[in-house]
Amino acid sequence: MTKKRIIAYNRLEKPVLEELKSKYDVKFFKNINTKTDKVFLDYLEKTEGIIGLELEVDKDLLVNAPNLKIVSNVSVGYNNLNLEELAKRNILATNTPDVLTDTVADTIFGLLLATARRIPELDHYVKSKQWNDPLESEHYGIDVHHKTLGIIGMGKIGQAIAQRANLGFDMKILYNSRNKKPKAEAKYNATYCSLDELLKQSDFVILITPLTEETNGFIGRREFQLMKKSAIFINGSRGKTIIEKDLIESLKNGEIAAAGLDVFKIEPVEHDNPLLNMKNVVTLPHIGSSTYETELKMSELAAKNLVAGLNGEKPPSLINTDVWENIKPLVSKKTIDK
Ligand code: DGY
């Protein structure tokens, strides 16, 4: 029997890739131009499944993928997928929620601490042998404990951040989210408030919403100007949820004090991005979920989703349940090759 064709893209942990290779005809691509790469486009034509990170699955790609049954993201975010175009073609889409929740919360809270206490800057100060005299106030940071944290986006990761902040650092939690979260309110003493109120009252603002049409450019100059001048802004969502040039202006003009960024409008971040020259900005290379343990769990879950979809079964973390409802009656025993 000929093996089913699979495309793996950008990131998939090795043991999982090897396991898939034993079952399927898998080709791994990394950082190619998917609009023009001939090998990719030829391979795509007969591909039944795609697994990987941040492949732009849009109409152009789907037109060239007539046999595609499932796209399995190795990420919780799925702003790279055009769900409307996938639905038109009855193609399943999956992601990797839950397994990364605590890891991302650790990273984002770590970024907050690093920014408030200026850890990367002071690390550089020590290693570059500038520490020759007793420290003075120009090197001080600001306290995190007992301050007010505003969380925009109170999904699972937002709640895991609230847990750390409230139970570990005695912080007061404000949040803004599409829906109120009574359980989080009770567990972490979190208070729902309007976006503007959250921005005005918080010492730290963490943005952790998914990128959707609604959240594209959600935080711009108006929002930065509403924040306290002493506020620290942390972005753990996607670069495009903020207007990056507005953040740069607000930092330059002292409208907010500092920023910690795991994500950028363009990734990898462009080398001439002004944010890279700002002492009061701490940067990470979009690494929120990337620990050895969690990347492996994400790859394993993504592979489970992929295999289920290819076998005509409901994947464990399906995004587009409407597509599954459409195809369920059509999935015949013939497609199952367990
Ligand atoms: C996620 O899982 O969405 C992470 O941000 C990696 O892209």
Side-chain angles (χ1 to χ4, degrees):
M1 203 171 76
T2 50
K3 286 180 170 178
K4 289 181 177 171
R5 232 177 222 201
I6 305 298
I7 283 178
Y9 188 76
N10 268 358
R11 194 187 292 158
L12 193 65
E13 294 308 299
K14 233 183 174 165
V16 177
L17 182 61
E18 293 311 316
E19 170 74 18
L20 287 179
K21 278 184 177 168
S22 69
K23 289 192 190 139
Y24 303 109
D25 173 7
V26 185
K27 199 162 178 69
F28 184 78
F29 294 89
K30 191 163 183 170
N31 268 348
I32 45 142
N33 184 335
T34 56
K35 307 267 182 223
T36 56
D37 190 290
K38 190 145 171 19
V39 182
F40 176 81
L41 291 171
D42 282 351
Y43 205 81
L44 185 62
E45 206 192 324
K46 290 197 179 139
T47 286
E48 294 187 46
I50 293 176
I51 183 166
L53 179 70
E54 282 167 6
L55 174 63
E56 200 60 46
V57 178
D58 55 10
K59 189 174 173 186
D60 288 352
L61 182 139
L62 293 172
V63 166
N64 290 309
N67 293 297
L68 193 61
K69 294 189 173 59
I70 177 162
V71 181
S72 170
N73 262 9
V74 189
S75 63
V76 67
Y78 49 86
N79 47 287
N80 59 315
L81 307 179
N82 185 328
L83 291 179
E84 214 177 298
E85 292 297 329
L86 286 165
K88 278 187 202 160
R89 296 165 176 80
N90 274 338
I91 298 170
L92 297 170
T94 63
N95 67 342
T96 58
D98 304 325
V99 291
L100 47 58
T101 302
D102 284 312
T103 300
V104 177
D106 284 353
T107 310
I108 301 307
F109 206 79
L111 187 55
L112 185 152
L113 287 171
T115 312
R117 300 302 306 271
R118 302 166 61 185
I119 291 173
E121 186 191 336
L122 295 174
D123 171 70
H124 176 73
Y125 177 77
V126 176
K127 288 180 184 161
S128 60
K129 305 185 173 72
Q130 296 177 65
W131 185 25
N132 299 313
D133 295 311
L135 285 191
E136 301 215 17
S137 60
E138 63 183 291
H139 296 110
Y140 294 172
I142 67 155
D143 275 336
V144 172
H145 62 86
H146 296 96
K147 293 278 182 72
T148 298
L149 171 64
I151 301 175
I152 305 171
M154 198 63 149
K156 289 177 185 161
I157 299 173
Q159 291 181 43
I161 293 170
Q163 178 191 33
R164 283 152 179 76
N166 179 247
L167 303 180
F169 289 77
D170 270 322
M171 295 178 89
K172 175 178 166 190
I173 313 289
L174 304 177
Y175 78 98
N176 181 264
S177 200
R178 259 181 315 181
N179 307 307
K180 287 193 178 181
K181 309 283 170 164
K183 277 193 193 146
E185 290 183 14
K187 268 169 109 174
Y188 312 124
N189 206 7
T191 306
Y192 178 88
C193 65
S194 71
L195 179 66
D196 287 6
E197 221 30 63
L198 178 151
L199 298 172
K200 282 183 203 159
Q201 289 187 30
S202 300
D203 298 303
F204 300 91
V205 175
I206 292 183
L207 181 63
I208 192 77
T209 51
L211 173 62
T212 61
E213 264 173 39
E214 213 184 337
T215 62
N216 200 329
F218 195 51
I219 302 292
R221 197 68 188 273
R222 187 191 84 90
E223 288 70 29
F224 291 121
Q225 283 175 338
L226 281 177
M227 294 180 200
K228 295 180 181 178
K229 283 197 180 355
S230 57
I232 292 184
F233 172 71
I234 306 291
N235 192 1
S237 63
R238 287 291 185 268
K240 288 184 182 155
T241 50
I242 69 163
I243 301 172
E244 203 170 82
K245 67 172 180 31
D246 288 2
L247 171 65
I248 294 166
E249 279 310 301
S250 291
L251 285 163
K252 272 189 191 156
N253 294 329
E255 288 160 8
I256 62 169
L261 307 170
D262 185 36
V263 289
F264 297 85
K265 185 175 167 200
I266 296 174
E267 293 180 3
V269 66
E270 292 170 304
H271 294 175
D272 61 354
N273 187 323
L275 291 165
L276 304 193
N277 293 322
M278 294 182 172
K279 260 189 163 177
N280 53 348
V281 174
V282 176
T283 58
L284 287 176
H286 195 157
I287 202 162
S289 57
S290 300
T291 60
Y292 289 113
E293 299 92 331
T294 295
E295 283 292 347
L296 184 60
K297 284 184 198 155
M298 290 166 71
S299 284
E300 285 169 349
L301 176 54
K304 246 188 215 165
N305 285 326
L306 177 87
V307 172
L310 292 173
N311 285 345
E313 293 160 9
K314 186 177 178 185
S317 32
L318 185 61
I319 299 164
N320 50 3
T321 41
D322 47 334
V323 169
W324 173 251
E325 291 307 320
N326 276 346
I327 64 170
K328 201 165 56 172
L330 308 174
V331 176
S332 76
K333 285 203 159 52
K334 266 189 281 169
T335 62
I336 300 176
D337 69 347
K338 277 193 259 186

